[in-house]
Amino acid sequence: MDNEIHTILANIWFLIIGLMLFLYVVLDGFDLGVGILSLFTRNDKHRAIMMTSLESIWDANETWLVLLGGALFGAFPLVFAITLQSLYVPVMVMIFALIFRGFSFEFRHHAKDITLWNLGFGYSSVLASLAQGIAFGGLIGGLLVFDGNYQGKVWGWFTPFSLLVSVGVVSGYALLGATYLMIKTEGSIQVKCIYQAYVAAALQITILIAVIIWIPRFNPYFAARWANNLSGPYISFFLLLAVFAFFMLLSALQRRFEIRAFFWSVIISLAGFTAVAIGYYPFLIPASLGLSQAASSSKTLIFMLAGIGFLIPIMLVYSGYQYLVFRGKIQIDMPME
């Protein structure tokens, strides 16, 4: 009975952490995507509009990453320890890139020459996205873990597979950023965002399909789950959902349906992530560490539910209110180049 309760609690926390990761990917994803796209414009007014669209929300979006790290540390401390031990380099690169991105964003308001800070914001957005993608690719690509300790090399996570995943993450964030900017802009900048969304979407769906087809070739467990009559149809369903969302996104872009374009770009990421999660379930560290094995004690999980369970609705309401207050198109009184 105690084991059943512990398994249920571990699964609840698996879903909560999955929700936090999804919210971070969507909210800070479009945030990072705008930073990536800022490197592709030479128009100062366009760049000013892009930056202004983030001013009231960018720091709150990153709160989900902090909450995610805290929840993972409390609910699955062994996973937290192994992840940091094995993926120390990309995690540290991501943190430093996010820090540099933050003060580049703030300092550009006070600098006489903002060129350096604009470039700093853009390139640190790219670097943070690449680091997140490589860390995620290294994790699902397989870490050499034995008896709860990472046994691989310092650069063991750096593989062609993790590089492909990192490019997929950058393209996914660029797509979220482009469709977000569609909502916040109009005129020539919106036209440019639509074109960028086409390119990013084509790249993302291609990489997503390639990654999911590639995984079973080196991971027998994922291959078995996909061939299984119970879990296989779900993996296929979410892969097909991602393809369906891609075509719905193309339709929305063609008709300039702003909200729908952002919605379908979110669905592509969600469907791809869910297909991978089902393929590896119940492992948190693929083929090494399962949910129940990695979870904290039942008392800890229950205690955390009382705190986090109270905090998540507050953050959701706060974020929703923030987007409601700052809704609408960005208008800047500045001559067009």
Side-chain angles (χ1 to χ4, degrees):
M1 184 65 181
D2 288 345
N3 287 337
E4 291 179 3
I5 293 175
H6 185 70
T7 302
I8 292 172
L9 287 169
N11 276 280
I12 290 173
W13 270 103
F14 177 69
L15 293 174
I16 291 175
I17 287 178
L19 173 65
M20 291 177 184
L21 181 60
F22 169 69
L23 288 170
Y24 172 75
V25 166
V26 173
L27 297 178
D28 207 34
F30 77 70
D31 199 322
L32 288 163
V34 172
I36 294 168
L37 296 176
S38 70
L39 293 172
F40 295 92
T41 181
R42 295 181 180 178
N43 187 307
D44 288 340
K45 183 173 182 179
H46 286 182
R47 186 178 290 105
I49 290 173
M50 295 166 80
M51 295 296 190
T52 304
S53 73
L54 298 179
E55 278 184 352
S56 56
I57 55 170
W58 74 273
D59 47 355
N61 290 342
E62 291 184 355
T63 306
W64 290 103
L65 181 62
V66 178
L67 189 62
L68 174 65
L72 186 64
F73 174 74
F76 301 103
L78 198 52
V79 175
F80 184 87
I82 294 174
T83 302
L84 279 187
Q85 185 185 15
S86 57
L87 302 171
Y88 185 81
V89 174
V91 170
M92 287 299 108
V93 169
M94 177 195 72
I95 290 174
F96 282 114
L98 290 176
I99 292 172
F100 187 76
R101 181 174 180 268
F103 69 70
S104 293
F105 190 85
E106 297 296 340
F107 279 24
R108 66 182 298 279
H109 290 294
H110 308 287
K112 291 182 179 178
D113 183 0
I114 61 174
T115 305
L116 176 64
W117 300 115
N118 284 336
L119 291 175
F121 181 76
Y123 283 113
S124 56
S125 298
V126 174
L127 189 59
S129 305
L130 283 172
Q132 289 178 10
I134 285 182
F136 183 60
L139 180 66
I140 64 175
L143 300 172
L144 187 58
V145 176
F146 180 74
D147 199 23
N149 285 300
Y150 177 62
Q151 303 293 325
K153 297 179 181 178
V154 175
W155 300 93
W157 42 268
F158 192 74
T159 63
F161 178 78
S162 63
L163 280 176
L164 179 66
V165 173
S166 69
V167 176
V169 169
V170 171
S171 62
Y173 285 173
L175 174 60
L176 289 170
T179 51
Y180 168 75
L181 286 173
M182 274 183 68
I183 299 172
K184 302 299 289 183
T185 62
E186 56 191 351
S188 60
I189 184 173
Q190 189 186 56
V191 172
K192 188 172 184 179
C193 292
I194 292 173
Y195 169 75
Q196 291 170 332
Y198 275 119
V199 176
L203 188 59
Q204 188 194 16
I205 195 67
T206 303
I207 293 177
L208 175 61
I209 293 172
V211 165
I212 293 182
I213 291 176
W214 193 349
I215 293 175
R217 295 184 178 277
F218 63 78
N219 191 306
Y221 182 79
F222 190 99
R225 290 274 295 173
W226 203 349
N228 186 287
N229 290 333
L230 292 177
S231 55
Y234 290 104
I235 297 174
S236 300
F237 168 77
F238 282 103
L239 184 57
L240 291 174
L241 177 61
V243 175
F244 174 74
F246 169 72
F247 286 108
M248 293 302 293
L249 171 64
L250 295 185
S251 174
L253 291 174
Q254 187 178 20
R255 300 179 183 184
R256 298 196 181 190
F257 291 157
E258 301 164 355
I259 302 294
R260 291 186 192 181
F262 184 75
F263 172 78
W264 289 115
S265 65
V266 170
I267 295 299
I268 293 174
S269 298
L270 176 63
F273 175 75
T274 307
V276 172
I278 293 173
Y280 281 113
Y281 182 84
F283 286 104
L284 287 175
I285 303 290
S288 299
L289 203 57
L291 272 176
S292 300
Q293 182 187 0
S296 296
S297 67
S298 298
K299 289 182 179 178
T300 302
L301 297 178
I302 293 172
F303 178 79
M304 286 181 63
L305 273 179
I308 301 293
F310 179 71
L311 190 60
I312 289 179
I314 292 177
M315 289 185 63
L316 288 173
V317 170
Y318 172 77
S319 296
Y321 181 70
Q322 189 181 28
Y323 285 99
L324 180 66
V325 170
F326 295 103
R327 67 187 183 280
K329 303 287 185 183
I330 302 296
Q331 302 288 342
I332 290 183
D333 186 16
M334 183 176 174
M336 185 73 75
E337 288 184 349

